Amino acid sequence: MSVLFINACVREHSRTLVLAKHVMKDISEEITEVNLNIENIEPLDRALLEKRDRLVRERNFNDPLFRYANQFAKADQIIIAAPFWDLSFPAKLKIYLEQITVAGITFQYINGHPTGLCNAKSLTYVTTSGGPIFDDFGYAYVKTLAEKFYGIKKTSAVRAMNLDMDMISAQDLLQKATISVIE
């Protein structure tokens, strides 16, 4: 089984990363990490979009442009760690999702409807916030892509909220935080 960990944690001592490591502690398989802070991942501009469209039409999915999409599609389990920022997640994660949502790799259209092509049986979204999470548009967005486009049937969110309310340190996160799992 292959496990893919998408790390969108920006801060050096990220509480989201601490929680993600806790979530992954019992995984015995090798975990491949994509650290979005060190990857040279760029949003699609006109030139890249035209290149991508041409490659998709040619069904040439071996181009390096599709490395993230191919890696994502082949993974058996996916874990995404992203702090809760402004009702969503860091922009680098949006760019990554833009890069992996490729017709012919992670999904295909059948009679005008997206059908997933990903191997993953589950996707876990890990997030933390300094205050309450009222509407988690970040998880909702990822859940919709996973279920409606990528074909990943089981999604869940593990989140710790209100961490700045009592000045909880990263070391105390797992002992004192309000942690909830949403499916």
Side-chain angles (χ1 to χ4, degrees):
M1 185 169 97
S2 64
V3 180
L4 180 62
F5 172 50
I6 297 110
N7 179 355
C9 301
V10 175
R11 291 186 174 104
E12 183 180 352
H13 302 289
S14 168
R15 297 179 298 197
T16 304
L17 185 56
V18 170
L19 183 57
K21 287 180 179 179
H22 177 72
V23 167
M24 295 184 291
K25 72 178 173 40
D26 294 328
I27 296 175
S28 59
E29 292 82 5
E30 182 178 338
I31 299 171
T32 300
E33 179 177 354
V34 176
N35 185 330
L36 298 180
N37 293 303
I38 60 175
E39 293 292 322
N40 186 21
I41 187 167
E42 298 291 329
L44 294 174
D45 59 14
R46 177 178 286 166
L48 273 177
L49 188 58
E50 288 173 357
K51 177 182 178 180
R52 179 169 122 160
D53 289 346
R54 177 180 51 78
L55 292 169
V56 167
R57 277 192 310 276
E58 295 169 358
R59 304 210 41 88
N60 180 2
F61 298 124
N62 293 322
D63 190 272
L65 182 62
F66 299 125
R67 68 188 175 280
Y68 299 115
N70 285 317
Q71 181 184 47
F72 189 92
K74 292 175 186 171
D76 296 312
Q77 180 180 359
I78 298 165
I79 300 162
I80 299 174
F84 186 74
W85 288 0
D86 300 323
L87 300 178
S88 188
F89 45 69
K92 281 274 195 164
L93 181 56
K94 172 62 172 100
I95 295 168
Y96 174 83
L97 294 170
E98 180 180 77
Q99 293 279 340
I100 67 166
T101 306
V102 179
I105 298 176
T106 54
F107 75 99
Q108 64 185 345
Y109 285 110
I110 297 177
N111 297 324
H113 298 284
T115 303
L117 296 174
C118 293
N119 289 335
K121 304 295 182 251
S122 68
L123 181 145
T124 303
Y125 184 84
V126 180
T127 193
T128 61
S129 66
I133 297 176
F134 298 111
D135 293 313
D136 190 347
F137 298 117
Y139 173 58
Y141 183 79
V142 170
K143 178 182 174 78
T144 299
L145 282 174
E147 293 177 355
K148 305 292 185 196
F149 277 82
Y150 308 146
I152 303 170
K153 300 299 181 209
K154 183 180 181 205
T155 62
S156 61
V158 177
R159 61 187 192 181
M161 301 183 293
N162 300 317
L163 300 178
D164 292 335
M165 301 311 216
D166 293 323
M167 299 307 293
I168 295 173
S169 70
Q171 293 81 8
D172 295 335
L173 171 70
L174 299 175
Q175 288 80 24
K176 296 181 181 177
T178 302
I179 298 174
S180 60
V181 178
I182 302 165
E183 294 191 16

